[in-house]
Amino acid sequence: GENVEQHPSTLSVQEGDSAVIKCTYSDSASNYFPWYKQELGKGPQLIIDIRSNVGEKKDQRIAVTLNKTAKHFSLHITETQPEDSAVYFCAASDGGFKTIFGAGTRLFVKA
Amino acid sequence: DVKVTQSSRYLVKRTGEKVFLECVQDMDHENMFWYRQDPGLGLRLIYFSYDVKMKEKGDIPEGYSVSREKKERFSLILESASTNQTSMYLCASSLMTSGTGNEQFFGPGTRLTVL
């Protein structure tokens, strides 16, 4: 079946450094790729998304890139801050009802 | 502010009990979802609903059922709880899809422990 692989499972960076999380999807029909951030004790919340007709999207310190040929997409966080510490999930959807989530990356930003 | 609320943050039940998890959204969304979240496995879809009284199985429906009698409310039912259903349960809602995906809004989760 369809799946989304996410790496790394844990990432530790120094405050101010960049963090990169990578995902690979299997369903070539996927056309919507959201990223969710889950803080402790809360549900996941969308932080950025990208659709298949776009190769890159940026929102302040966060950027996402998509390579449809290779079925890869990545999240880039620059100038990391302690409040960026959380679990991040990538996901892929074919526009239908089902969204396939990656296993998650726990990001630690050390002050 | 948009909101998805879940009836309990923490729940402890005994094996064999019938368990009800309630979810309410105030955004008039057509779609509602139930996921379970386990370490290293991400979010796995149990059931979803795209309209009142409509339901569809997700990837792991065994041992669960759902009910959607009103647009804003989606209930997850464990008919006979088992220890392997100990998990974090997340409810989400979204606007009707139209060929392209939409943001899902999640509740805070219910951590269920089955003893």
Side-chain angles (χ1 to χ4, degrees):
Chain A
E2 302 90 345
N3 76 308
V4 173
E5 292 190 5
Q6 181 172 348
H7 299 281
S9 56
T10 305
L11 180 59
S12 184
V13 299
Q14 206 67 38
E15 182 178 0
D17 287 351
S18 295
V20 180
I21 302 170
K22 298 183 178 183
C23 290
T24 303
Y25 62 97
S26 61
D27 185 0
S28 54
S30 297
N31 58 23
Y32 175 65
F33 305 90
W35 285 88
Y36 290 86
K37 176 184 181 182
Q38 185 177 28
E39 296 176 332
L40 203 59
K42 297 183 178 180
Q45 185 172 11
L46 183 78
I47 54 171
I48 195 167
D49 56 14
I50 191 167
R51 300 189 187 272
S52 59
N53 57 347
V54 175
E56 186 173 353
K57 184 176 178 181
K58 191 172 181 181
D59 182 5
Q60 298 183 329
R61 297 185 297 108
I62 293 173
V64 59
T65 58
L66 171 65
N67 182 332
K68 282 215 74 180
T69 303
K71 295 184 188 170
H72 289 169
F73 58 116
S74 301
L75 178 72
H76 304 253
I77 305 174
T78 58
E79 300 171 24
T80 53
Q81 301 166 6
E83 52 265 38
D84 294 329
S85 296
V87 178
Y88 291 81
F89 292 98
C90 63
S93 167
D94 65 359
F97 295 104
K98 286 182 65 175
T99 298
I100 308 298
F101 288 84
T105 296
R106 187 172 294 275
L107 174 64
F108 297 95
V109 179
K110 296 176 286 186
Chain B
D1 202 15
V2 297
K3 221 166 200 178
V4 178
T5 56
Q6 296 184 228
S7 52
S8 305
R9 294 301 303 271
Y10 300 94
L11 214 50
V12 180
K13 295 293 182 181
R14 296 268 178 206
T15 300
E17 280 193 82
K18 191 168 185 176
V19 182
F20 293 87
L21 303 182
E22 305 282 343
C23 175
V24 177
Q25 51 98 1
D26 66 358
M27 296 165 281
D28 201 35
H29 283 168
E30 293 84 4
N31 301 331
M32 295 189 75
F33 308 84
W34 275 106
Y35 294 91
R36 64 177 280 175
Q37 180 179 10
D38 299 290
L41 297 178
L43 280 64
R44 292 180 293 165
L45 182 64
I46 305 172
Y47 267 97
F48 66 94
S49 168
Y50 53 89
D51 201 352
V52 174
K53 297 194 185 295
M54 305 305 291
K55 59 186 179 184
E56 295 286 342
K57 293 180 180 179
D59 297 316
I60 52 165
E62 297 78 18
Y64 304 94
S65 62
V66 291
S67 172
R68 191 162 180 205
E69 296 297 317
K70 293 185 178 181
K71 189 176 184 180
E72 68 270 19
R73 188 178 297 269
F74 192 34
S75 302
L76 180 70
I77 303 149
L78 286 66
E79 295 291 340
S80 178
S82 63
T83 54
N84 62 12
Q85 293 178 309
T86 291
S87 186
M88 171 70 83
Y89 290 87
L90 290 164
C91 175
S93 71
S94 74
L95 287 168
M96 175 61 72
T97 56
S98 55
T100 182
N102 285 318
E103 175 182 4
Q104 292 188 22
F105 294 85
F106 286 86
T110 295
R111 185 164 293 282
L112 173 67
T113 301
V114 183
L115 301 175

